[in-house]
Amino acid sequence: MPSRPSGDQLIYRRAENGEMVGYTPDEYGVRKDDGGGLVKPVNSSGGILFLALLLTAGMGVLVYFVVQVAVQGSWHIFGEVWWVFPACIYPFTFAWASYFKERRAEKLRKARNLARPVE
């Protein structure tokens, strides 16, 4: 059985049940606070999965666009819309990485019988 991490490696946050719990960085998962913004971020694995699937559908549209440009031979269009590719690829990659990070954190919290952090 692995040893418990020292106290300085733990992230102390309030859990869903209201008590303060020390989480390892892997157990904490994605950022849970709102960052001071007006809109509360999606940080549950189900919500992140929905966003990742939505972005995957958007990537499918982008691939369809590339195929259509290749079939029609309209390569000059890429010079005008090149910025769309990094603007789509970065959120797509970040969403899936966040989803897998939060799923792993859920499994680790479940193994230690910890409640989900809310802040």
Side-chain angles (χ1 to χ4, degrees):
M1 180 146 212
S3 63
R4 294 277 314 223
S6 65
D8 58 8
Q9 295 176 339
L10 296 178
I11 301 169
Y12 289 93
R13 296 291 188 260
R14 190 163 310 281
E16 286 179 327
N17 57 10
E19 68 181 50
M20 290 297 284
V21 177
Y23 299 96
T24 65
D26 288 338
E27 290 170 340
Y28 184 68
V30 298
R31 185 174 167 179
K32 303 293 191 273
D33 64 349
D34 62 3
L38 296 174
V39 178
K40 187 171 179 174
V42 175
N43 54 25
S44 66
S45 63
I48 296 171
L49 177 62
F50 173 75
L51 292 175
L53 291 172
L54 193 64
L55 289 168
T56 300
M59 287 298 292
V61 170
L62 186 63
V63 168
Y64 176 77
F65 168 73
V66 170
V67 169
Q68 288 301 315
V69 167
V71 168
Q72 295 175 4
S74 304
W75 295 106
H76 66 281
I77 293 174
F78 286 131
E80 299 169 9
V81 296
W82 64 269
W83 56 271
V84 172
F85 296 98
C88 291
I89 291 171
Y90 176 74
F92 168 79
T93 305
F94 185 75
W96 280 108
S98 296
Y99 169 70
F100 289 124
K101 181 178 181 179
E102 185 61 23
R103 283 294 295 155
R104 181 171 184 252
E106 281 182 351
K107 289 178 183 178
L108 292 172
R109 288 192 301 262
K110 187 175 181 180
R112 278 191 50 205
N113 199 21
L114 296 174
R116 181 178 182 272
V118 293
E119 57 180 30

